[in-house]
Amino acid sequence: MSNESGASASPPFAAVTELRLGRPDDFHLHLRDGAALESVLPFTARQFGRALVMPNLKPPVTTVAMAAAYRERILRACPADATFEPLMTLYLTDHTTADEVARVAESGFIKAFKYYPAGATTHSDSGVTALKNVYPVLAAMQQHGVVLCIHGETTDPATDVFDREAIFVEHSLTQIVRDFPALKVVVEHITTREAADFVDAAAANVGATITPQHLLFNRTSIFSGGIRPHLYCLPILKRESHRQRLLAAATSGSPKFFLGTDSAPHSRNSKETCCGAAGCFTSHAAMELYAEAFDAVGALDKLDAFASRFGARFYGLPRNAGTITLRRETWSPPDAFAFGQETIVPLTQGRALGWRLGA
Ligand code: NCD
Ligand code: ZN
């Protein structure tokens, strides 16, 4: 896939034609529910050993009992030959209780709470309306060692959409990390230099996920030749200098930065319309997309740790058994997939990839 940097592979890895990696984990995934779940789950299960499943269903997954039922539906939708483990999250609201946090800590299968500032993104209207509302619950999470995953964007409608993450980092994130120094925090799908710098400078209990779209595209890509709804996600793609900073973070070898696709399926009709939904679908070629990004900056040797070690370490999980193989091969994924009764158009629409998952 072409990218805006024009960077080419450095000599040591240009000759690499096959990559064997530990079976990776996706620490940020939207699986939806029902027929949509059945359509998208096989793509993730063939690449990843585990995925952290986001709770922004309608209604949101707010209790241990709801997460247990959702997990059962995911396991039922899983292809019979897959060895895939869903790791669950709960949706943090103004009404979440410290008792629910204690139940999460005991559950074993729920690995985090997800903090959506109310109104920040798709299905976030039940999210947190003011940071102070969840302070007692954050204290309980810190006490029980439960991870907080954060959608880090301010929701002030007057704030420029391209500045929402940087402002959240400066005000809200700084405050959370200052007031709960031992809380395990994952800043989800970081998109800016400010977020990467913040995580780099923070203590070891603060990490971040990085998506393939934010490593491969910048905000100009959204408008190249016309408006491209399948490149629209939140937080929105940023300018090229931010993309370069994210690439540096992902390939730095720092265990704070790890893989989370944020693959977020929406039907073609809800994307290609007058007011399109936010979210990019990447599960069909997730590892291939990351390989593309790492290859472009000569860092293929850093992909294994980013994809299959650092996230597991952050969450205190063992590494997956088994491996996957990626081969250097030019191929074009389908431009659409079935999505329940509808269709879904992937991020890769109209593009060729240079890596392909092997058997
Ligand atoms: C996600 C979705 O569609 O659920 N959309 C997105 O643009 N990333 C929600 C989210 O993670 O923000
Ligand atoms: Zn997401």
Side-chain angles (χ1 to χ4, degrees):
M1 183 176 295
S2 65
N3 60 47
E4 285 67 25
S5 71
S8 57
S10 70
F13 302 111
V16 173
T17 57
E18 190 173 295
L19 267 180
R20 173 89 64 91
L21 307 172
R23 194 163 169 77
D25 295 310
D26 183 349
F27 277 101
H28 186 128
L29 178 67
H30 298 272
L31 284 175
R32 314 305 188 202
D33 212 343
L37 163 66
E38 284 174 30
S39 297
V40 297
L41 178 59
F43 295 111
T44 291
R46 68 189 268 273
Q47 300 208 337
F48 295 98
R50 295 169 294 213
L52 189 68
V53 182
M54 292 298 126
N56 60 333
L57 303 182
K58 286 270 178 192
V61 180
T62 51
T63 64
V64 172
M66 289 173 88
Y70 185 29
R71 180 172 175 274
E72 284 307 314
R73 296 196 296 280
I74 294 168
L75 290 173
R76 273 201 299 277
C78 211
D81 57 343
T83 51
F84 174 74
E85 186 188 353
L87 309 172
M88 307 309 290
T89 58
L90 288 198
Y91 192 118
L92 190 65
T93 76
D94 288 347
H95 312 291
T96 304
T97 62
D99 284 351
E100 200 67 43
V101 175
R103 283 192 284 274
V104 163
E106 281 162 25
S107 75
F109 66 93
I110 303 174
K111 300 301 179 189
F113 273 90
K114 179 67 185 286
Y115 179 145
Y116 293 102
T121 187
T122 307
H123 299 169
S124 63
D125 28 302
S126 308
V128 176
T129 60
L131 180 52
K132 290 284 179 202
N133 293 348
V134 291
Y135 257 43
V137 173
L138 298 191
M141 291 175 61
Q142 176 173 253
Q143 184 197 333
H144 289 282
V146 173
V147 174
L148 177 67
C149 297
I150 302 181
H151 183 112
E153 288 195 285
T154 181
T155 52
D156 175 2
T159 302
D160 188 285
V161 69
F162 294 100
D163 297 335
R164 287 180 187 174
E165 181 175 282
I167 295 204
F168 184 92
V169 169
E170 189 186 338
H171 297 289
S172 307
L173 188 59
T174 305
Q175 198 181 317
I176 293 168
V177 168
R178 182 196 65 209
D179 293 345
F180 303 97
L183 180 63
K184 282 184 138 188
V185 171
V186 181
V187 191
E188 296 296 332
H189 41 52
I190 60 167
T191 65
T192 58
R193 181 190 317 110
E194 288 84 353
D197 289 349
F198 180 91
V199 171
D200 248 339
N205 52 307
V206 179
T209 53
I210 307 182
T211 78
Q213 62 267 27
H214 294 104
L215 292 175
L216 287 164
F217 298 101
N218 62 33
R219 68 189 195 180
T220 299
S221 319
I222 306 171
F223 308 103
S224 77
I227 194 155
R228 296 185 176 273
H230 302 290
L231 291 182
Y232 173 55
C233 66
L234 290 171
I236 198 158
L237 298 172
K238 303 300 191 297
R239 63 169 66 239
E240 177 61 12
S241 57
H242 293 288
R243 189 183 77 87
Q244 293 292 339
R245 178 66 184 92
L246 299 180
L247 274 169
T251 62
S252 65
S254 163
K256 293 170 160 218
F257 299 102
F258 49 89
L259 188 156
T261 61
D262 193 21
S263 182
H266 291 273
S267 70
R268 178 199 284 269
N269 287 338
S270 61
K271 296 281 292 176
E272 298 176 6
T273 179
C274 59
C275 188
C280 300
F281 179 66
T282 53
S283 298
H284 68 297
M287 286 308 301
E288 291 93 329
L289 288 163
Y290 282 109
E292 198 93 26
F294 278 58
D295 196 10
V297 292
L300 284 174
D301 59 328
K302 299 293 199 301
L303 184 57
D304 180 60
F306 175 81
S308 66
R309 282 194 246 163
F310 293 157
R313 186 193 298 180
F314 188 92
Y315 278 90
L317 299 168
R319 292 184 62 184
N320 290 316
T323 58
I324 60 161
T325 303
L326 291 165
R327 296 208 174 79
R328 198 184 281 283
E329 177 189 325
T330 303
W331 68 293
S332 296
D335 277 344
F337 298 98
F339 186 54
Q341 298 298 306
E342 305 189 77
T343 56
I344 186 166
V345 177
L347 176 83
T348 51
Q349 181 196 36
R351 298 169 199 273
L353 297 175
W355 289 90
R356 188 164 200 172
L357 190 75

